Every structure is written in C-alpha cells, then in structure tokens.
C-alpha cells in the first residue's frame, strides 16, 4: 500500500532531494580542485572513445580520452588530457606500454593530438597503429594547454617530459587497459615530441622512479635551443622561433616575452597562437623570416630568457635506459649536429645509446624512417635483446 502524501512527508522529501542535489554540487565543484593537488599521474577521468587512423578507418584498439594530474615546468599542479589505446587481443606476458610524445601539433587547443586522432587527421597515427599491431598499449599526452584550458608551453621539456611520464602512470591506473604496474615501458618522440621524450627520460630517475624504462627513442629534438634558433633565424621555419617564445612565455610568465614584440610581432604571435601546424606553415611563407622583423629588442639575448632555455636543453642528465637518438642529415628544422651532439653528451654520461644517421632526408621525410627504426629498436628492448655498446659511444 502506498503511503498518502502529507504536508510533513512532502516537506521531508523536498529536504532530502535538496540535500542530495547540494551534495552532488559540492562533489562536482570540489573534484577539479582536489584533482589539481593530486599526486602526479592520478587519473581524474576516463571516457571510452573511438580513434581513427584516417577518416572512417578506426584504429584497432580500445581507447579512452583521459584527464590526469601532472605538473608544469615550475612544478605547479595542472590537469592534462590525452588518450590511451590498448589492443583487445591477449599478449604473452605483461603488455608493453609506450609513452608516445607527439610532435608539433600547434598552439591552439583544437590542435590536440586526441582531437586529431578522433577525426582521423593525426599525422603520427600510422606509427601508433604499428605499435598497436605489435600488441603494445600506447599513451599519448595532449600536453598542457592542448585539450584542456590554458596555453601550451611549446617545446618546454621541463613541462612536457613530466606530462609524458604522468600519462604512463594514468594509463596503468585505467582498469579497462589491463596494464601491469610493473610491465615494460618505452618512451618515444620526434620533433617537439623528441624534446618531450628526451626530457622525460632525463627526468625519470628522480621524477618517476616508479616507472623504470626498458628503452627510449628520441628523434629530431631541439636539444640545444640557442643553436637551433641561430641556425633557423632567416629560414622559412623561423615561425617556430615565435612558437618557442610563446611556449617559454607560457611556462615562465616572469619572462614577459610579449613585451619584446613590436606591432607586427604582436599580430603574428596572435595568429600563431590560434594556429595548428599546417596553418602556421602556410601563413609563414609570405611573411618575413627574420626574428628582427617582429621584435623591438631580441628576447633571446636577455639573460633570463637564455637561462630558462638553457634549463630545458637536453644532455646534462643521464637517462637510465638504452636510447636510440636520431636525425636526418638535411633536417631543415633541427640541425643534424644538434642531435649528434646530444648523442655524444649522453654517451659521455655513460648511457648506452645508438645514433640513427638518416641520409639525404629532411625533417618531414625523416620522420617515418626514424619512427620505423625506433619501433624496431623498442621491440628488441622489450624482447630482452642485448645492445652492445656502440664503438663511437664507448669512446665518448
């Protein structure tokens, strides 16, 4: 028998409903704040999704868009998004996990790798597909400010390295991915992703000792910012210097990099901050290719800017894993010597590294060659194959 509705029990029902709604509101509003102070790598949310190799061609894996806790370049809490992909089939033993640091996507939030993968327009999707075909899980960070609110600290390794390591932690905490907390982990990245990957493996021994690495591959990274900028000022790739200035200004607001821009520079910077990489390349062609056209004073000559860039150079800390380092001979973005010097620096610190010298090709055509060599290199590391120390590395 249903109890009659009286004024008293109606008031009680309303009170209980309002209390429940208030509780839900408090939980919803408190969750982001709580997550912002969470341990790095804490999984904040995971939403099943479908990701694509090309439009209408899904990648053969279970996939989730994730949000996780990480740290900025200066160690402040930040939430970062990304995607985790895991093959559905069984794997003999613990499934390897790749922390896949994506290359330059752009500065606008619409350029996030997770968004490109959801549309089938991500240029690195074929390499992710090859990793999935080997039975590996893949975790791809969007990086701070791409996929989540805020600005993107473009090529700032102190931020991007941490965010690459933390999505590995988040992926391991994702129940549907079924990843062992002690399974093998590899790190991969090329271009901006090479900077992120290189920073990640240098940071790992102190920042993420819970993620011992089995191997890593670092390609065409801006490992020495001053050398890269000096070589590329005056070239059609000069717009990447403005990209980098934007990134360092985001990571280190005290640098006030925009204060060095003239009117032309402010207009150009505003446009680039709304761009993805394809837009930026097209926009840059008819514009001046000299940094001096965009600034009143060269920010790269300012001690504070130079110091922050030096902090983000690679080569001063020894990765605790075997590493494939590589670059194309005719790379028009990253001078060949920059990556070869990084190789020599890591070798000098005792790292067991190999150098992938890619003849004839440039930055863009060298990418698929390096990616395929890197996948083979990581497969050998996951299989436990020994890596004899290269003669030129042993002599460093």
């Amino acid at each position: 028998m249903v109890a009659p509705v009286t004024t008293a029990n109606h008031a009680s029902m309303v009170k209980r409903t309002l209390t429940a709604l208030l509780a839900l509101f408090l939980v919803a509003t408190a969750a982001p704040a709580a997550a912002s102070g969470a341990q790095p790598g804490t999984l904040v949310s995971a939403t099943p999704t479908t990701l694509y190799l090309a439009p209408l061609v899904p990648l053969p894996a279970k996939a989730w868009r994730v949000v996780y806790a990480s740290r900025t370049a200066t160690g402040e809490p930040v939430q970062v998004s990304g995607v985790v992909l895991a093959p559905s089939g069984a794997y003999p033993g613990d499934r390897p996990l790749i922390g896949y640091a994506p290359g330059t996507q752009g500065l606008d939030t619409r350029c996030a790798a997770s968004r490109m993968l959801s549309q089938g327009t991500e240029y690195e999707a074929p390499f992710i597909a090859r990793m999935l075909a080997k039975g590996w899980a893949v975790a791809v960070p969007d990086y701070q400010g791409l996929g989540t609110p805020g600005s993107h600290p473009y090529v700032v390794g102190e931020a991007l390295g941490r965010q690459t390591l933390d999505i590995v932690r988040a992926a391991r905490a994702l129940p549907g991915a079924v990843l062992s907390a002690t399974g093998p982990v590899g790190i991969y990245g090329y271009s901006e992703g090479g900077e992120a990957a290189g920073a990640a493996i240098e940071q790992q021994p102190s920042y993420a000792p819970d993620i011992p690495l089995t191997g890593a591959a670092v390609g065409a990274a801006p490992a020495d910012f001053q050398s890269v900028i000096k070589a590329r000022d005056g070239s059609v790739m000069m717009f990447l210097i403005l990209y980098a200035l934007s990134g360092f200004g985001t990571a280190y607001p005290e640098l006030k990099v925009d204060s060095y821009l003239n009117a032309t520079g402010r207009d150009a910077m505003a446009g680039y901050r709304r761009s993805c990489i394809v837009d930026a390349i097209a926009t840059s062609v008819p514009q001046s290719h000299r940094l001096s056209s965009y600034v009143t004073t060269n920010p790269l000559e300012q001690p504070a800017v130079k110091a922050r860039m030096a902090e983000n150079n690679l080569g001063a800390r020894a990765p605790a894993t075997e590493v494939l380092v590589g670059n194309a001979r005719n790379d028009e973005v990253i001078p060949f010597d920059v990556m070869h010097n990084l190789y020599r620096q890591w070798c000098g610190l005792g790292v067991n590294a190999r150098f992938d010298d890619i003849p004839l090709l440039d930055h863009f055509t060298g990418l698929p060659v390096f990616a395929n060599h890197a996948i083979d290199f990581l497969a050998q590391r996951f299989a436990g194959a020994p890596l004899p120390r290269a003669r030129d590395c042993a002599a460093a």
Side-chain angles (χ1 to χ4, degrees), residues 11-361:
S12 177
M13 289 169 60
V14 169
K15 182 178 179 180
R16 288 196 302 271
T17 301
L18 289 174
T19 301
L21 289 172
L22 177 61
L24 287 171
F25 172 78
L26 291 173
V27 169
T29 55
S36 68
Q39 287 296 312
T42 298
L43 184 63
V44 176
S45 67
T47 305
T49 188
T50 301
L51 302 177
Y52 294 86
L53 172 64
L56 304 180
V57 182
L59 284 163
K62 298 177 292 182
W64 299 261
R65 183 184 186 274
V66 300
V67 177
Y68 59 99
S70 191
R71 293 292 184 265
T72 67
T74 55
E76 296 300 313
V78 67
Q79 288 190 15
V80 181
S81 62
V83 290
V84 176
L85 304 95
S88 300
Y91 190 88
D94 290 337
R95 188 184 302 279
L97 171 61
I98 301 292
Y100 192 110
T104 300
Q105 307 292 306
L107 299 185
D108 194 275
T109 187
R110 66 188 170 87
C111 315
S114 63
R115 182 183 176 91
M116 298 296 104
L117 285 165
S118 72
Q119 297 173 343
T121 55
E122 174 53 56
Y123 65 88
E124 296 192 73
F127 317 128
I128 294 172
R130 188 174 171 211
M131 293 175 178
L132 295 171
K134 288 187 170 293
W136 306 343
V138 182
V140 186
D142 285 330
Y143 307 134
Q144 173 188 345
L146 296 179
T148 48
S151 300
H152 175 44
Y154 179 73
V155 296
V156 178
E158 286 299 298
L160 308 188
R162 293 167 176 171
Q163 292 158 22
T164 299
L165 291 167
D166 286 331
I167 198 171
V168 170
R169 288 167 160 156
R172 283 177 161 181
L174 183 60
V178 194
L179 296 168
S180 168
T182 58
V185 174
I187 300 291
Y188 168 87
Y190 185 91
S191 193
E192 182 185 17
E195 180 69 22
I201 64 177
E202 287 192 347
Q203 294 162 353
Q204 179 273 326
S206 58
Y207 182 77
D210 53 306
I211 312 175
L213 300 176
T214 306
V218 177
D224 179 343
F225 286 101
Q226 292 294 331
S227 294
V228 173
I229 290 167
K230 182 178 179 181
R232 297 306 176 235
D233 190 8
S235 79
V236 72
M237 292 298 162
M238 196 289 302
F239 78 92
L240 291 173
I241 300 176
L242 293 180
Y243 257 46
L245 285 174
S246 178
F248 275 87
T250 293
Y252 308 107
E254 75 278 4
L255 298 180
K256 299 180 179 177
V257 297
D258 284 8
S259 68
Y260 299 102
L261 300 173
N262 60 25
T264 300
R266 289 192 294 273
D267 288 345
M269 186 70 87
Y272 285 131
R273 285 174 175 154
R274 296 190 298 269
S275 73
C276 296
I277 184 60
V278 174
D279 313 330
I281 292 172
T283 300
S284 72
V285 173
Q287 296 185 351
S288 172
H289 300 153
R290 287 287 177 188
L291 178 62
S292 58
S293 300
Y294 301 93
V295 298
T296 55
T297 303
N298 189 344
L300 303 173
E301 295 175 354
Q302 306 308 307
V305 176
K306 291 172 71 174
R308 285 301 196 184
M309 287 189 165
E311 287 175 18
N312 285 271
N313 286 344
L314 302 177
R317 297 172 288 186
T321 190
E322 297 169 333
V323 188
L324 178 69
V325 181
N327 207 16
R329 282 277 173 174
N330 296 320
D331 193 311
E332 72 280 35
V333 178
I334 306 300
F336 179 83
D337 287 347
V338 166
M339 287 304 287
H340 196 261
N341 288 341
L342 174 63
Y343 168 68
R344 300 284 293 173
Q345 286 175 289
W346 278 342
C347 288
L349 293 173
V351 178
N352 190 8
R354 286 291 176 88
F355 191 75
D356 188 15
D357 184 341
I358 303 170
L360 303 177
L361 302 181

